[in-house]
Amino acid sequence: MVNMMGSGIIMLPTKLAEIGTISIVSWLVTAVGSTALAYAFAQCGMFSKKSGGMGGYAEYSFGKAGNFLANYSYGVSLLIANTAIAISAVGYGSELFETSLSPISIAIWTGITLWLATVLNFGGARITGNISSFTIWGVIIPVVGLCIIGWKWFEPDLYLSSWNPHNVPTFEAIGVSISMTLWAFLGLESACANTDVVENPEKNVPIAVLGGTLGAAVIYIISTNVIAGIVPNLDLANSTAPFGLAFAHMFNETAGKVVMGLMVMSCFGSLLGWQFTIAQVFKSSAEEGYFPSVFKKVTTKDAPVIGMVIITAIQSGLTLMTISPSLNKQFNILVDLAVVTNVIPYLLSMAALMVLQKVEKVPENKARITTFIAFVGSLYSLYALYAAGEQPMLYGSIVTFIGWTLYGFISYKFDMKPTY
């Protein structure tokens, strides 16, 4: 829940307000799809004997090429997602200090935020972990608090009037907000990482995974729908700090500012943790021989500093490439692209689950149920790709094709066999 909620939720109400409160249907669809994915990942984590997370799962069916593509696309998705997280922090910061930023200014401040998070990570995992475990409360307290006390200010008429303000066809309206709701659940794949230290993992890991995903789903659905009954739809759709705006409506401007400050703190803490995580993803991929060896070089504090610098330089370029007329527009572009690239390793892992279970001799009855649930997760993932739209799919496809090209340069390490 902490991995999913750290930064995934803080801009959600704004995006969903563009569609209307009909987006609650998208939440329900995504909750079902994400729960199916989470359960399947729990099974993968319990039975897989290969290292490398989703890449290791994919390898059962797709070999080293599938392992590479899963790690590559996951790494690219984190590059993009972390940039979107930085833009979230900039958005709340601009509202907090009542500053109107131009598109160029947004890009510059996003770059500064990314580099600050990277430099703070030079000290190693201990510092990052301590900061992130504290800052996460900056989002949990106001969001959970809103779920509990927000009903006092909830106006049913305001909520109903925002159902479908632009009269978009129902199926289209649901699809438009699917990417944003799935964005909120990215990180669910990390739920099976601690299998080795859980008592009776075959029973408890799926329960923990499902409980965490469903718990996050409940908080997401309640908080974003409560806001829609407190803040007028147009105000919400134009806000770059929706939770701060909600608390300002509920109490006063000071309360709103406090919440904005907490959200900035939480968002930056989340970015700090994810910037270190992405460096570790690139490091482990380099150790497997998939990425250039420069990414596996570490300092005496076990921090892959050179890799961090290269990654942040790429993100800075990405920030400039996606400059848009508004912060919300740039955020939406990045989120859609992050979701598309993140879904690729999801699909590879789900497709490999049947073979994984056969190889690891999972009982047939249990395997049949898990395979069906993984199929549901695959259907949802494919729908999420469709719903992301043409432009994210175009860029996501290009990113994937680049991945195949890159694998061609290193495939001799894994697939070449002697010809004599």
Side-chain angles (χ1 to χ4, degrees), residues 397-418:
S397 298
I398 292 172
V399 166
T400 304
F401 298 151
I402 290 172
W404 288 125
T405 303
L406 294 175
Y407 183 72
F409 294 128
I410 63 169
S411 59
Y412 70 90
K413 299 179 182 178
F414 313 106
D415 297 334
M416 294 291 287
K417 294 180 174 58

Side-chain angles (χ1 to χ4, degrees), residues 90-110:
V90 171
Y92 269 79
S94 66
E95 288 285 341
L96 178 63
F97 296 107
E98 299 181 353
T99 302
S100 179
L101 298 177
S102 68
I104 294 295
S105 299
I106 292 169
I108 292 172
W109 279 108
T110 301

Side-chain angles (χ1 to χ4, degrees), residues 117 119-135 269 272-273 276 301:
V119 170
L120 289 175
N121 271 312
F122 287 175
R126 182 183 296 273
I127 295 175
T128 299
N130 289 339
I131 295 175
S132 298
S133 62
F134 170 75
T135 58
L272 194 67
F276 193 87
K301 295 183 179 179

